[in-house]
Amino acid sequence: MTLRRARRYVRVRRAVLAASVLTVVGTPFLAARFADRSWPSGVFVGATGAARALGVELLDPLLTAGVALSGGARRGLLVAALPVLLLVVVLGRFFCGWLCPYLPLLAVSNAVRWALARLGIPTLDLRLPGWIRFAVLGVVLGGTGALGVQLATLVYPPALLARTAYRLAFGLGLGGAAVVVAVVWLFDTTVSRAGFCRSLCPGGALFSLLGARSPVGVRRVASRCTDCTVCDVVCNLGQGPMTDRVDAGCERCGRCVAACPTGALSLSFEGRRR
Amino acid sequence: MNRRGLLALAAGAVSGLLVRRSPSAAGELRPPGALPPGAFERACIGCVRCAEVCPTRAIRFPPGAGLDAGHPFLALRESACVLCMACTEACPTGALARIPPVPERIAAEVRIGVPVLDRKACLPWSGQGVCRLCAYVCPLGTAAVELVGPQQAPLFHPEGCVGCGLCEEACPEEARAVRIRARPGGEA
């Protein structure tokens, strides 16, 4: 992939992410302003993870799975979950790299890690084993069934951030959801780079599972690769594009593609078939 | 996912299932159309869409991070439900069953709670004068609250009441005689 194309790709991703963050932060503020029902909720209501645009429900598969497993599913729930589900099956864990409203906070976390390193203050970068995220997903979904309460909404950053934005927009203060997000952020900043996303987030684990057969992935042209390791370094999720070690944990963010100085990497369909 | 991941998923699910069931938050007033306690908590994903579309901001979310943090409740004393049914329309999972904003359907299907009157605090019942505010604001009229006797004291009919809380909101500050409580047995 040429450098110009790779850069355009980064711009597209940033625009999509900005739109996503804008729905999470913006809709509650609009709702607070137009609560006299002049807001056209038939056009758009909700935020990333539980939005409805022009009558089409865009529900997070993790939240839907929790409802289904706890026996709380009503008619039409599967239909509401289908659009995002199909996207995940095709695009894999793209939500984490393109839409998750936690991403701006993760960028700050990485910047703080970098600054601390520059100042000579060591930060841990613990690498938890890969199976832990599946164990967390199991606990969240199993516990949801057992307790009859949606546990995902209590630990899943997109849901926590949506509730925090709502509280701020309606003048209710920060609340417990913000505290949980702060704990996640501190973990990522001081203990493990993007450690929550990589090893603990139940959403990321579920998307990796659902998107295990995704045809979209990072492809490397070995003849152009100079083994410079930049791609491995920029990856938040500990993937190894330089050695073709990219698994279902890849969030298709394309950071490695844009960072590659020789254009050896590209993100394409059938990318994982080598 | 490799075999170890599968094993971890299964082990996690089993340990999740072993978690002791906590006492459910029975007693909270849920928005109109809410499924019965238990079923509601299973279906609600805490997306806050109901609270965002509520014109009176009667729908709130708990400030904490506990098990009930993702479930809406009503603070009727501060702000009553005006039965617009916007929340039931906004709910993505059916935790709030959709009810069209038609008076007959609302009267028949909305069961937020039941009115409980403290006659010692109620102005007419305690002989402190004529008030009538509860009956005046009630959208269901005599089906839910009747005025009886020379003091025009309110007589509530729980079976005809939807529990919107307009009476609780209107009840004078010094009396605070009527409150909407969760239905005994929790049936919606």
Side-chain angles (χ1 to χ4, degrees):
Chain A
M1 192 181 270
T2 64
L3 198 59
R4 192 191 291 169
R5 270 188 65 194
R7 281 194 182 142
R8 190 194 305 157
Y9 181 74
V10 170
R11 274 203 295 274
V12 172
R13 186 174 65 84
R14 287 205 179 129
V16 171
L17 177 61
S20 166
V21 172
L22 209 63
T23 66
V24 174
V25 179
T27 20
F29 277 93
L30 284 173
R33 265 203 93 128
F34 295 94
D36 56 352
R37 301 198 68 191
S38 58
W39 174 252
S41 63
V43 177
F44 189 88
V45 65
T48 310
R52 183 176 61 204
L54 299 170
V56 180
E57 289 282 1
L58 300 166
L59 269 188
D60 191 309
L62 178 66
L63 301 173
T64 322
V67 175
L69 283 175
S70 62
R74 305 282 124 189
R75 260 184 306 143
L77 187 74
L78 189 69
V79 178
L82 212 56
V84 181
L85 201 62
L86 285 176
L87 278 177
V88 172
V89 168
V90 175
L91 298 174
R93 204 185 158 176
F94 79 104
F95 179 92
C96 308
W98 287 70
L99 293 170
C100 182
Y102 179 70
L103 279 171
L105 293 177
L106 181 63
V108 175
S109 166
N110 282 338
V112 170
R113 287 182 73 87
W114 178 82
L116 287 174
R118 284 291 297 260
L119 292 169
I121 303 166
T123 48
L124 276 176
D125 194 5
L126 190 70
R127 299 268 164 142
L128 295 167
W131 53 265
I132 285 195
R133 58 196 167 119
F134 298 117
V136 173
L137 176 65
V139 169
V140 166
L141 292 182
T144 293
L147 288 169
V149 171
Q150 296 306 319
L151 293 183
T153 193
L154 304 175
V155 296
Y156 183 44
L160 294 166
L161 285 167
R163 277 212 300 291
T164 302
Y166 148 77
R167 295 196 73 82
L168 288 176
F170 281 70
L172 301 168
L174 275 169
V179 176
V180 180
V181 173
V183 170
V184 168
W185 189 86
L186 282 174
F187 175 78
D188 283 353
T189 307
T190 59
V191 180
S192 175
R193 175 185 171 193
F196 187 87
C197 311
R198 196 168 57 201
S199 313
L200 298 175
C201 182
L206 183 67
F207 300 150
S208 314
L209 279 183
L210 294 174
R213 307 232 125 198
S214 152
V216 177
V218 176
R219 184 209 292 267
R220 184 179 68 110
V221 179
S223 57
R224 285 205 212 156
C225 177
T226 58
D227 292 353
C228 73
T229 75
V230 163
C231 51
D232 289 7
V233 171
V234 295
C235 181
N236 270 334
L237 299 180
Q239 301 288 321
M242 190 187 83
T243 44
D244 294 330
R245 278 186 310 209
V246 179
D247 60 22
C250 169
E251 60 181 7
R252 278 74 168 171
C253 69
R255 280 188 190 85
C256 54
V257 175
C260 180
T262 58
L265 296 174
S266 63
L267 201 72
S268 53
F269 274 85
E270 297 297 331
R272 297 185 66 215
R273 186 185 294 167
R274 280 180 295 267
Chain B
M1 186 169 59
N2 54 18
R3 191 177 302 163
R4 198 177 290 173
L6 194 69
L7 211 64
L9 185 71
V14 169
S15 63
L17 286 165
L18 290 175
V19 180
R20 205 157 42 89
R21 188 179 288 265
S22 75
S24 84
E28 286 290 0
L29 296 177
R30 301 299 186 197
L35 300 174
F40 174 77
E41 285 78 7
R42 284 198 290 278
C44 173
I45 57 170
C47 70
V48 303
R49 268 156 57 162
C50 53
E52 283 178 0
V53 300
C54 181
T56 65
R57 300 189 183 183
I59 300 177
R60 315 269 171 99
F61 275 80
L67 283 181
D68 207 35
H71 302 143
F73 67 96
L74 296 172
L76 296 175
R77 174 82 215 174
E78 288 138 76
S79 178
C81 168
V82 292
L83 301 170
C84 69
M85 300 297 118
C87 52
T88 76
E89 200 275 328
C91 181
T93 63
L96 307 178
R98 198 160 289 194
I99 300 173
V102 181
E104 302 79 51
R105 296 286 301 273
I106 291 171
E109 292 171 40
V110 176
R111 290 289 178 270
I112 296 167
V114 286
V116 177
L117 183 70
D118 177 5
R119 290 191 178 181
K120 285 201 281 290
C122 177
L123 300 181
W125 279 109
S126 58
Q128 297 179 70
V130 175
C131 172
R132 294 187 298 196
L133 278 174
C134 51
Y136 183 72
V137 296
C138 181
L140 288 125
T142 51
V145 55
E146 268 183 290
L147 298 173
V148 295
Q151 293 268 28
Q152 301 275 284
L155 191 64
F156 285 93
H157 302 304
E159 66 283 357
C161 170
V162 298
C164 69
L166 281 163
C167 54
E168 180 176 340
E169 189 189 41
C171 189
E173 195 65 25
E174 62 268 30
R176 289 193 169 203
V178 61
R179 292 191 64 180
I180 304 294
R181 293 280 171 83
R183 288 192 172 247
E187 197 43 53

